[in-house]
Amino acid sequence: MADRNDYVAALGKVFSDDAPANPKKSVKKARVGFAADVDVKEFEVENYGDVEADNVSYGGKSTKRLKVYDAKQRQSWYVDQKTYALLSKRNITRTDSEGGIIPIQDKTTDDKTFNEKYDLDLEELFDSKVSDKDAILWTDSNNEVVTRKGCGKTAWRNAYRRLVVHVMDPKNAIRFSRALQIQLDYLMAHEALLLNDIIVVLDKISDDPRNHTSKKKKKMDLNIALTKALLNVNVGRILVANSGTISYFFHPDTRVGKNRTFNFWSTTPLLTTLPPISWFIPSIFTFTPSENFIGSRAHATNSILRSVLGPGRFLTRLITGGREEFVVDDLKAIAQNLAAETTGFEAAMRAQFGNHAGRQKVNEFRIENRLPTDESAVRSFIGSPISTMVNNGVVHILRALANHWEGLNTIPFGNFAHQRMEQLNVNVILRFHIPFVLMTLANLRGWCSWDSMVLAPFITKLMNIRPGVNMNVANELLNELNTTIVDNVCGGIFSRIEPFQRWITQMRVANELIMTEKDKVVTIVSSVTSGIESGYKLAKTVDWVVPDDDVMVRSIIQHIKLDAVKKKLRNHNGERLIDEENGTLDANQAGSALQDMDQEEIGPAMKIAGGSISSIVSFVQKDLSKRQKTGMTDHLVKRAMNALRPRDKRFLIELVNKGHEEIRAAKLLSRRVGTLLKREMRRARLDARIKELSRGSVATEMIEDEWYIVDRTEDDGSTTELGSFQFRTRRSSTSDVLFINRSGKEDRFDANSHVFRKFIPIGEAIVRAQKAFMVIELDLLKRFAYAAYMEFSDLRDDLLKLQTVSGINCYALDEARLNGLVHIKSHSSTQISWKDLQPGHNYFIEVKPYKYELFEYAEGMDLDNRKRYFKTAPQNMIVVGGGPTGLLTTLHSLENCLRSGGTMKLYEARDAFEKAGGTYERAQVVRLDSRWVRMLRYHLGTLFEDVWIPATEETDSHLGNTLPTQGFIEITIKDMEAIMHLEVSKLWSRDLLEIYARSSANFDYKKNVMTKQGNALKERDLVKRRVDPNGEPSEEFHTWEVVQLIGNKTLSPDDMTPGRSYNVFSRDQGGLLTMELVSADEGVFDFRSTDEGLTIQVTRSNFPSVYAYDPKAKGNARSSFKTIVFQSVDLNREGKLTRYEVEFASIMNESHIMDVGQTNIAFASGKPAVTKEHLTACPYEPYGVSCIQGIKISMGMHNFGETRFGKGLIADFRSQTEQNTRVVGDFTKSVITAPIVKEMLSIMSNLPRSNDWHMHLRHT
């Protein structure tokens, strides 16, 4: 039987004799048959010369490739004509605008395609699992508009939608879509899908300027997408906020081409003097004011309006174009919660004080607020290019841009913070920014006929740049810009020409660099194609519509009133009578269970159900049935309520049970729970759909180590899924089948009463795609923006889907992420059995814990089968410090550590993991850059969404702040540590890492050793002691393991003697106290501490931990240990391991050197030390604000708990740069340092305790 490669070789001969007339592409049909195969195959063969690779300037190699398409099997693959080797087996190809074919490969970690390994087709899988009703083309969501109060409700949305559809042409479509795609990262999955639908339609409009698809059809699609999106408050708010990117009247090329007409409109007296015409006509028909035309009339008008309307108001900002004096001119405001590059402070200064004085004010503002001038100018240029150039000077801005691009092209690691506004994107700069640069330069030089005849057509070319497979079009336009445009538009002024041409040169260099980087992105994306397609199809087929707010609130109130009753519905064995999964209740036993409840517990239920037990049982039955149908199960309601602060949760329950659900506080909290319940219901639907898609066909034969779903067959013939298990073996003598469950324990199932199905890891595939999204950020966005790679036509669809899939969060995906780590740990790719060693190869042997030696294996070598052998040395890791940096280092490094066969340990000096939160919490506010965002998004999953992604109708997230245009997020350290502690604890519970609280570990970088206090030693610690393996003193260090800590014996009440002193553990005091037993009468014991002035009275039932008196015993431990047992790691002279005991008190205050072996140590505690021998991952002095005035600044900025905007029209039109008093933030604000320093000087100089401050500063 002929295989596929035989056909490929035969098909290659079709093109071997004659070269095609078109060297780029030619198509032939061929019929190929073999003697051994009776079937004759018919193929369509497409010969494709890789023109992009032929261009040596992009670092490519000249290749000729062949695309083969089997029409019968509907499969295509890609071959190299020289070797006829198969390059891709996936039926996924991309066709660019010129007809070129680009292969997309899809390889999993085991180098097998996802579809091949699991014998499935994604299209068929979703078709079989999803009904036609669920398989929708457009994403549907709740209509959140009808529930809102405000001006017009839906009227303005309809007007806005009609306006956008009317003005949308290819130029507007491409600009609008690029602005919207930035916002996808900070939306919930269904909201990201709504925005994605609009972007897809806009791409169809922009990529089809010649209207091959009818204009009416494209407008209709856009109308549908906008209609559905505007029903969602958050998405509608984003659409309105980014509508400024749309040209509603004239595009820039039209303004330049019709410059004489525009000049006429701007100089006609009637149109420039009569209000209200003078307010609006100039903004439409005139050019932006420059140094030649300062716009005195607009300056005067806006100054008057600003004074009349008042500063800090939305209406002032809207009418005066953002010229509000509180932004830049309020000397009383020490700090404002506004990012400097988003306030428009440059334009405001210029508008308020004129050009010359305004620029001086800008420079003063930057100095006072410690803003790096060039970086701030670059970021301001991205947001508003014309005003930035006019306000700061054209020459200065051109030089800053040229220097910035040259720096990023030259520095190997690019932009340290991955600041979105500083990352490079050549196509976007050429398409959106260069036209405004050229207009500004022409305006400064003075308009002429050359502008309308030459400059305007060139600007049209720039605005019509479409995504392609390479940067050829961009290079051609850069060449034309450099040779024919720059000199003329700059008027021959060398100070403008030189930086402009240098900037153009750096854009060419960037084009070469991004082509190299593109190949890496293609490799990453093509390896997770199945995950991208699975996640995208999953999101498109899930029902995102949930009940309305009023229904939610009624369900929550009813849940609270019935919760006490439902908890008591148990039989005499303690088993629940409620089957929540099926929504049923055993009514026969429920009545007797309720008889035992007191009247206070059953009271709230009686008020809504009636006055009898039978009525309550009937009401509970109906409630369970209704919840089963609507999806608002008690489990989901409890999960939503648990997301509240504990105090708020208790307060709500108390209000509802006492009948006060109509007061304002109860309504507020119940609405908040309803918002969280919507999120939980959508996650539950995602979980159910993933669970359904993961169920494969019934397995006739099972393969060892593969995963299968086990269903139990019930007596009535139905089946109940028990979960997924890893197959081990089938007993030949019995019907038992042996599996390993997710926790690593063994389970046996009877084949006669169980059904085994193939497990399709849909969740794991989606998680791998989400990880790829993180990897692209960490490895490839140091220079270029994510959007820069989306400018390639062969990558845009996949990257847009990947960006959307990254926002899908549910508990099934969290579980899949953990399961992947468990699988990696149990299947180490580096460890090898001693039986499988091959002669002549190098291996590592573990001679001691965490110590490995390299050796070359030879035939007949005597091996110790008790030792472990590795292909490469395991990478063990210790992270010292459980703060944000240490926790993220642990989360991010764990997978690679486990993959190499190593272990991960986290040493935390505080007690956070013992008490589910540290005794001392840090409330500093931190800003996290894009790398942190991507890592936290992947590693935290649903926890990230809970904290940073705004819920339904929320302006910003509940605990953090997001800055999408810059790629930053903000949060207080204590809140961030809380969620990271929770995720690390999950990993700890799966035995994926080890955590040591109260570790007292420290790294001495000078001696290059890790030390630990004796009172913090724990079992399994390896320490170096000057004792040899025989237990005798030695001058050299030897390794010993802590095998046991023997504590003091606790005393019972019968051992007590009045008048004697004891060590008593007090939970309130947090340690051991020395106390005297005063009396012990009739089982009541009175202890008194003279030092603490404390008296404790206890009984036998609540008797504390009491120990024999030891004057040295103290601390936070429940009991000071009596002795510590060490065991030697090396054998003694008798061939055994030596053990000896040491008094714990003698070593508890000593510093012990830890034997970490070949372990990588990450010291994430405090400032990095200045050392040349170790790697430092952060600067010694991080940029930030820290002073004794900080709390006053924060109190003046943040009014926690207040809503930012009300519901209604103003909430949809509000600016993103409004003063925000609700969102947590630190460096979104502008801090004027001069008043702070003056106040600090006054505090430390004039107060009576100034000497104390001097002492404090001298020793810190």
Side-chain angles (χ1 to χ4, degrees):
M1 181 70 68
D3 62 8
R4 180 174 290 179
N5 282 323
D6 294 328
Y7 285 104
V8 170
L11 289 168
K13 297 178 181 178
V14 175
F15 292 93
S16 61
D17 298 330
D18 57 333
N22 181 2
K24 180 180 178 183
K25 174 182 174 184
S26 64
V27 179
K28 291 185 179 181
K29 289 188 177 181
R31 293 170 60 85
V32 181
F34 293 89
D37 192 350
V38 295
D39 293 333
V40 176
K41 302 283 188 179
E42 182 171 345
F43 299 93
E44 179 179 330
V45 185
E46 184 173 277
N47 189 31
Y48 173 62
D50 194 350
V51 179
E52 172 193 327
D54 290 339
N55 193 335
V56 182
S57 63
Y58 295 107
K61 296 180 180 180
S62 179
T63 59
K64 294 294 182 182
R65 291 179 287 184
L66 191 72
K67 180 202 172 189
V68 182
Y69 177 71
D70 184 349
K72 183 177 181 180
Q73 298 294 330
R74 291 190 300 176
Q75 291 183 346
S76 61
W77 61 93
Y78 216 51
V79 297
D80 187 331
Q81 280 188 251
K82 295 181 180 179
T83 61
Y84 306 114
L86 227 59
L87 299 183
S88 176
K89 298 179 181 179
R90 294 279 293 127
N91 184 18
I92 298 179
T93 57
R94 296 289 180 267
T95 304
D96 62 19
S97 57
E98 299 176 350
I101 302 299
I102 294 85
I104 299 295
Q105 295 181 359
D106 183 8
K107 293 186 177 181
T108 55
T109 52
D110 58 359
D111 204 31
K112 290 183 178 180
T113 63
F114 183 84
N115 290 8
E116 278 184 333
K117 180 173 181 179
Y118 299 103
D119 190 24
L120 62 91
D121 181 86
L122 288 177
E123 293 287 347
E124 295 179 359
L125 175 66
F126 277 86
D127 289 343
S128 62
K129 300 286 186 178
V130 179
S131 64
D132 294 336
K133 179 182 177 182
D134 295 332
I136 54 177
L137 178 63
W138 304 97
T139 305
D140 281 319
S141 182
N142 281 61
N143 186 347
E144 300 169 358
V145 179
V146 296
T147 62
R148 311 176 76 215
K149 297 179 180 179
C151 177
K153 292 186 179 179
T154 61
W156 79 263
R157 286 179 171 80
N158 292 330
Y160 169 78
R161 172 176 50 81
R162 291 187 177 94
L163 174 62
V164 172
V165 172
H166 176 71
V167 302
M168 195 56 61
D169 58 10
K171 293 177 183 177
N172 277 330
I174 198 168
R175 186 177 178 87
F176 197 32
S177 65
R178 273 34 174 196
L180 295 180
Q181 68 191 23
I182 299 175
Q183 307 289 336
L184 286 172
D185 290 347
Y186 299 99
L187 292 173
M188 291 186 290
H190 69 288
E191 295 173 342
L193 281 171
L194 290 169
L195 202 59
N196 178 82
D197 288 345
I198 297 176
I199 295 173
V200 170
V201 176
L202 293 174
D203 284 350
K204 293 178 181 178
I205 296 175
S206 62
D207 293 342
D208 186 21
R210 297 181 180 179
N211 293 323
H212 295 295
T213 303
S214 69
K215 188 175 181 180
K216 182 178 179 181
K217 174 66 166 60
K218 291 184 289 187
K219 295 268 187 179
M220 183 178 65
D221 288 346
L222 179 60
N223 186 64
I224 295 174
L226 286 173
T227 300
K228 293 182 176 295
L230 286 170
L231 296 178
N232 184 279
V233 174
N234 290 343
V235 178
R237 194 175 287 142
I238 288 174
L239 292 173
V240 175
N242 289 276
S243 296
T245 59
I246 300 174
S247 297
Y248 294 95
F249 298 98
F250 305 105
H251 292 294
D253 56 344
T254 306
R255 292 174 180 266
V256 178
K258 305 292 183 181
N259 53 17
R260 293 184 183 275
T261 304
F262 277 79
N263 184 64
F264 168 77
W265 280 99
S266 62
T267 56
T268 302
L270 181 63
L271 297 177
T272 57
T273 56
L274 296 178
I277 301 176
S278 61
W279 295 353
F280 300 102
I281 293 297
S283 63
I284 300 173
F285 293 101
T286 62
F287 297 105
T288 302
S290 68
E291 292 175 346
N292 298 335
F293 310 99
I294 61 175
S296 300
R297 177 187 50 76
H299 168 56
T301 302
N302 289 323
S303 298
I304 294 172
L305 290 172
R306 188 181 66 249
S307 300
V308 172
L309 298 174
R313 296 181 179 177
F314 167 77
L315 193 60
T316 307
R317 176 182 291 272
L318 181 66
I319 294 179
T320 66
R323 295 165 177 82
E324 296 182 69
E325 59 186 6
F326 86 92
V327 176
V328 291
D329 202 27
D330 187 0
L331 298 179
K332 296 180 181 179
I334 294 179
Q336 299 174 24
N337 194 19
L338 295 168
E341 58 271 12
T342 63
T343 59
F345 71 97
E346 297 163 341
M349 286 291 191
R350 179 177 167 275
Q352 293 175 35
F353 302 104
N355 286 329
H356 179 72
R359 285 184 181 175
Q360 290 182 330
K361 287 281 188 179
V362 166
N363 292 334
E364 292 175 5
F365 181 82
R366 284 187 173 134
I367 292 173
E368 289 180 347
N369 291 273
R370 303 193 305 172
L371 298 176
T373 305
D374 290 346
E375 292 181 9
S376 178
V378 169
R379 293 194 292 266
S380 299
F381 174 82
I382 296 300
S384 52
I386 293 181
S387 62
T388 301
M389 297 183 72
V390 172
N391 296 327
N392 295 274
V394 172
V395 175
H396 173 70
I397 294 300
L398 289 176
R399 288 175 179 172
L401 290 168
N403 293 337
H404 175 71
W405 280 64
E406 185 176 4
L408 288 188
N409 286 335
T410 306
I411 300 173
F413 299 105
N415 189 303
F416 176 77
H418 291 205
Q419 222 281 0
R420 290 289 179 257
M421 304 176 87
E422 296 178 17
Q423 290 175 319
L424 308 185
N425 191 339
V426 177
N427 277 353
V428 168
I429 290 293
L430 288 176
R431 188 187 295 125
F432 303 142
H433 295 81
I434 293 296
F436 293 116
V437 172
L438 297 177
M439 288 177 61
T440 305
L441 290 170
N443 198 22
L444 292 174
R445 180 206 60 194
W447 296 99
C448 62
S449 59
W450 179 88
D451 297 332
S452 59
M453 292 186 296
V454 179
L455 184 59
F458 180 74
I459 292 178
T460 303
K461 292 181 184 179
L462 292 176
M463 299 184 69
N464 287 330
I465 295 176
R466 303 287 177 249
V469 296
N470 52 42
M471 301 301 292
N472 288 348
V473 174
N475 278 330
E476 292 173 1
L477 290 173
L478 286 171
N479 291 335
E480 184 178 354
L481 176 64
N482 190 41
T483 56
T484 63
I485 302 297
V486 172
D487 287 346
N488 286 328
V489 81
C490 292
I493 302 175
F494 179 76
S495 60
R496 298 176 184 174
I497 296 174
E498 187 274 333
F500 201 174
Q501 289 182 334
R502 190 155 53 90
W503 185 20
I504 294 172
T505 301
Q506 293 305 318
M507 281 193 269
R508 288 178 185 157
V509 175
N511 285 341
E512 297 178 6
L513 293 173
I514 198 172
M515 290 305 300
T516 303
E517 298 292 318
K518 176 197 172 185
D519 294 337
K520 300 177 183 177
V521 177
V522 170
T523 301
I524 295 174
V525 172
S526 61
S527 66
V528 293
T529 305
S530 293
I532 296 174
E533 293 297 326
S534 299
Y536 191 72
K537 289 179 181 295
L538 168 71
K540 293 292 286 185
T541 55
V542 166
D543 182 12
W544 297 105
V545 180
V546 295
D548 295 334
D549 290 342
D550 294 338
V551 178
M552 288 275 189
V553 171
R554 288 196 298 269
S555 177
I556 292 166
I557 299 299
Q558 192 163 298
H559 161 82
I560 294 174
K561 292 185 176 182
L562 295 177
D563 187 48
V565 171
K566 292 179 179 179
K567 287 180 180 179
K568 293 291 185 177
L569 291 177
R570 297 178 181 273
N571 59 19
H572 60 279
N573 294 325
E575 299 173 348
R576 293 197 65 187
L577 301 177
I578 293 177
D579 183 359
E580 187 173 333
E581 184 175 352
N582 297 316
T584 58
L585 169 67
D586 188 348
N588 295 328
Q589 302 183 56
S592 58
L594 294 178
Q595 295 291 345
D596 300 332
M597 294 184 62
D598 56 36
Q599 198 67 23
E600 184 177 353
E601 289 180 311
I602 207 172
M606 280 191 171
K607 290 181 181 180
I608 60 174
S612 64
I613 297 296
S614 60
S615 63
I616 295 179
V617 173
S618 176
F619 191 85
V620 170
Q621 281 183 317
K622 294 178 181 178
D623 179 71
L624 291 172
S625 177
K626 185 177 180 180
R627 292 183 183 278
Q628 179 68 18
K629 294 178 181 178
T630 60
M632 294 183 290
T633 63
D634 290 307
H635 174 70
L636 294 181
V637 176
K638 288 179 181 179
R639 180 173 277 174
M641 293 185 64
N642 288 335
L644 291 176
R645 296 291 187 186
R647 180 176 56 186
D648 294 339
K649 176 185 173 182
R650 292 192 298 268
F651 185 42
L652 175 61
I653 294 174
E654 193 70 16
L655 288 175
V656 172
N657 284 333
K658 291 187 176 181
H660 302 313
E661 59 266 22
E662 293 299 325
I663 68 174
R664 184 177 179 183
K667 288 183 178 180
L668 177 66
L669 290 174
S670 59
R671 290 276 179 184
R672 174 63 185 163
V673 177
T675 300
L676 298 173
L677 181 57
K678 291 179 182 179
R679 177 176 280 177
E680 294 298 335
M681 290 182 65
R682 289 174 174 133
R683 288 177 182 172
R685 294 175 183 179
L686 284 170
D687 291 339
R689 182 54 54 85
I690 291 176
K691 181 179 179 180
E692 182 183 6
L693 293 171
S694 299
R695 293 175 59 84
S697 59
V698 177
T700 56
E701 295 183 2
M702 289 186 285
I703 304 173
E704 186 177 358
D705 289 341
E706 289 296 328
W707 290 87
Y708 297 88
I709 293 176
V710 179
D711 292 341
R712 183 180 62 229
T713 305
E714 305 294 349
D715 296 336
D716 58 358
S718 62
T719 59
T720 302
E721 182 176 326
L722 303 180
S724 56
F725 301 83
Q726 190 176 24
F727 175 69
R728 276 291 181 260
T729 185
R730 184 191 293 267
R731 299 295 184 188
S732 57
S733 57
T734 64
S735 59
D736 288 347
V737 183
L738 179 63
F739 287 90
I740 303 296
N741 60 26
R742 291 291 185 183
S743 62
K745 297 181 180 179
E746 183 179 296
D747 279 319
R748 298 173 185 270
F749 300 102
D750 188 351
N752 297 325
S753 58
H754 293 82
V755 178
F756 309 114
R757 292 181 174 274
K758 295 180 180 179
F759 173 71
I760 305 173
I762 293 294
E764 285 75 2
I766 297 174
V767 165
R768 287 188 62 243
Q770 293 177 334
K771 182 183 178 183
F773 188 64
M774 176 188 69
V775 171
I776 291 175
E777 171 72 45
L778 299 182
D779 294 349
L780 300 173
L781 299 192
K782 300 171 184 176
R783 180 179 291 112
F784 299 103
Y786 186 84
Y789 299 104
M790 296 177 72
E791 291 299 320
F792 292 107
S793 58
D794 52 322
L795 279 175
R796 180 164 180 79
D797 288 344
D798 286 332
L799 290 180
L800 186 59
K801 289 180 179 179
L802 179 60
Q803 192 174 7
T804 305
V805 168
S806 68
I808 300 175
N809 292 290
C810 63
Y811 302 107
L813 294 183
D814 288 350
E815 186 69 17
R817 194 176 299 110
L818 290 176
N819 292 339
L821 292 174
V822 172
H823 180 78
I824 290 172
K825 181 183 178 181
S826 59
H827 293 78
S828 173
S829 59
T830 60
Q831 189 172 351
I832 185 173
S833 172
W834 64 276
K835 300 178 182 179
D836 298 329
L837 302 183
Q838 299 180 4
H841 289 71
N842 292 330
Y843 299 96
F844 287 88
I845 181 175
E846 186 179 38
V847 293
K848 294 179 181 179
Y850 311 121
K851 291 185 179 180
Y852 313 93
E853 289 185 357
L854 180 66
F855 73 98
E856 181 179 351
Y857 177 67
E859 189 72 35
M861 180 180 288
D862 187 18
L863 298 175
D864 187 352
N865 58 9
R866 295 173 298 178
K867 299 286 187 181
R868 294 197 301 167
Y869 298 89
F870 300 90
K871 299 176 184 178
T872 59
Q875 298 298 306
N876 304 294
M877 190 170 185
I878 293 177
V879 177
V880 182
T885 306
L887 291 170
L888 186 60
T889 303
T890 303
L891 290 170
H892 191 63
S893 303
L894 178 61
E895 180 174 339
N896 287 337
C897 187
L898 296 176
R899 195 176 295 278
S900 68
T903 58
M904 170 67 74
K905 297 181 180 179
L906 173 62
Y907 287 178
E908 165 64 321
R910 295 176 294 169
D911 55 357
F913 288 99
E914 292 182 353
K915 299 181 178 180
T919 303
Y920 303 99
E921 293 181 330
R922 292 173 283 184
Q924 300 99 317
V925 180
V926 291
R927 167 179 283 189
L928 308 176
D929 63 33
S930 301
R931 296 165 301 173
W932 279 72
V933 175
R934 290 289 186 267
M935 288 188 283
L936 290 173
R937 177 187 290 276
Y938 172 72
H939 294 297
L940 299 182
T942 54
L943 294 176
F944 179 90
E945 186 177 63
D946 290 338
V947 174
W948 278 291
I949 304 300
T952 303
E953 298 190 46
E954 284 188 350
T955 304
D956 281 285
S957 53
H958 196 54
L959 296 176
N961 182 31
T962 59
L963 301 165
T965 56
Q966 302 179 61
F968 292 155
I969 57 178
E970 296 172 331
I971 193 173
T972 56
I973 289 182
K974 64 179 182 180
D975 288 331
M976 182 170 65
E977 285 185 344
I979 58 172
M980 296 173 75
H981 275 144
L982 182 57
E983 184 62 28
V984 171
S985 298
K986 291 180 183 178
L987 300 171
W988 190 16
S989 68
R990 290 291 191 96
D991 198 26
L992 295 170
L993 52 80
E994 301 174 16
I995 297 177
Y996 298 89
R998 302 178 185 273
S999 63
S1000 299
N1002 194 20
F1003 180 72
D1004 189 339
Y1005 68 93
K1006 295 181 179 179
K1007 298 180 181 179
N1008 200 29
V1009 295
M1010 186 171 174
T1011 61
K1012 198 174 187 181
Q1013 287 294 111
N1015 58 4
L1017 289 176
K1018 294 179 173 57
E1019 292 183 4
R1020 298 176 62 185
D1021 278 347
L1022 297 176
V1023 298
K1024 291 185 176 182
R1025 298 182 59 81
R1026 295 186 187 274
V1027 181
D1028 65 15
N1030 298 311
E1032 300 173 357
S1034 171
E1035 295 182 358
E1036 299 179 353
F1037 283 107
H1038 295 272
T1039 303
W1040 291 78
E1041 180 183 3
V1042 179
V1043 294
Q1044 189 178 7
L1045 293 168
I1046 302 176
N1048 288 307
K1049 180 183 178 182
T1050 57
L1051 303 178
S1052 66
D1054 296 331
D1055 298 328
M1056 297 293 98
T1057 303
R1060 297 188 61 178
S1061 296
Y1062 297 93
N1063 292 331
V1064 181
F1065 178 79
S1066 172
R1067 184 180 299 275
D1068 296 334
Q1069 300 298 320
L1072 294 172
L1073 301 177
T1074 300
M1075 308 190 77
E1076 179 185 355
L1077 180 61
V1078 179
S1079 63
D1081 298 331
E1082 298 180 357
V1084 179
F1085 302 86
D1086 292 326
F1087 291 92
R1088 183 176 61 191
S1089 172
T1090 56
D1091 296 337
E1092 302 291 336
L1094 181 69
T1095 301
I1096 300 177
Q1097 187 178 80
V1098 297
T1099 61
R1100 288 179 176 270
S1101 60
N1102 64 346
F1103 198 77
S1105 299
V1106 179
Y1107 307 92
Y1109 174 68
D1110 181 359
K1112 298 181 180 180
K1114 59 181 180 179
N1116 294 329
R1118 182 174 290 271
S1119 166
S1120 292
F1121 294 109
K1122 183 177 183 181
T1123 59
I1124 183 170
V1125 181
F1126 293 100
Q1127 178 177 281
S1128 63
V1129 174
D1130 299 319
L1131 300 176
N1132 57 21
R1133 63 174 65 96
E1134 298 177 358
K1136 299 181 180 180
L1137 299 177
T1138 304
R1139 283 195 178 192
Y1140 74 99
E1141 293 186 15
V1142 179
E1143 290 292 330
F1144 191 79
S1146 64
I1147 67 162
M1148 62 183 300
N1149 295 321
E1150 294 180 358
S1151 179
H1152 292 73
I1153 298 177
M1154 305 294 293
D1155 187 357
V1156 297
Q1158 296 166 354
T1159 300
N1160 304 292
I1161 298 177
F1163 191 69
S1165 179
K1167 295 182 179 179
V1170 180
T1171 171
K1172 297 181 180 180
E1173 291 79 16
H1174 304 88
L1175 296 175
T1176 303
C1178 61
Y1180 178 70
E1181 286 290 346
Y1183 178 79
V1185 176
S1186 177
C1187 65
I1188 57 178
Q1189 288 288 94
I1191 186 63
K1192 292 186 178 180
I1193 293 174
S1194 293
M1195 289 177 64
M1197 287 176 51
H1198 308 299
N1199 300 320
F1200 296 104
E1202 292 186 7
T1203 56
R1204 180 175 179 181
F1205 294 99
K1207 292 184 177 183
L1209 188 61
I1210 194 171
D1212 300 303
F1213 279 102
R1214 58 92 177 143
S1215 169
Q1216 288 185 319
T1217 58
E1218 292 280 356
Q1219 185 83 350
N1220 188 343
T1221 60
R1222 179 183 182 276
V1223 178
V1224 176
D1226 191 5
F1227 293 113
T1228 46
K1229 62 177 174 281
S1230 302
V1231 180
I1232 303 177
T1233 57
I1236 298 174
V1237 173
K1238 184 182 295 185
E1239 183 68 18
M1240 290 174 63
L1241 181 62
S1242 174
I1243 291 174
M1244 292 186 289
S1245 301
N1246 301 327
L1247 293 179
R1249 298 186 60 187
S1250 60
N1251 291 333
D1252 295 341
W1253 281 109
H1254 296 164
M1255 182 73 69
H1256 168 76
L1257 296 173
R1258 190 179 299 118
H1259 294 284
T1260 56

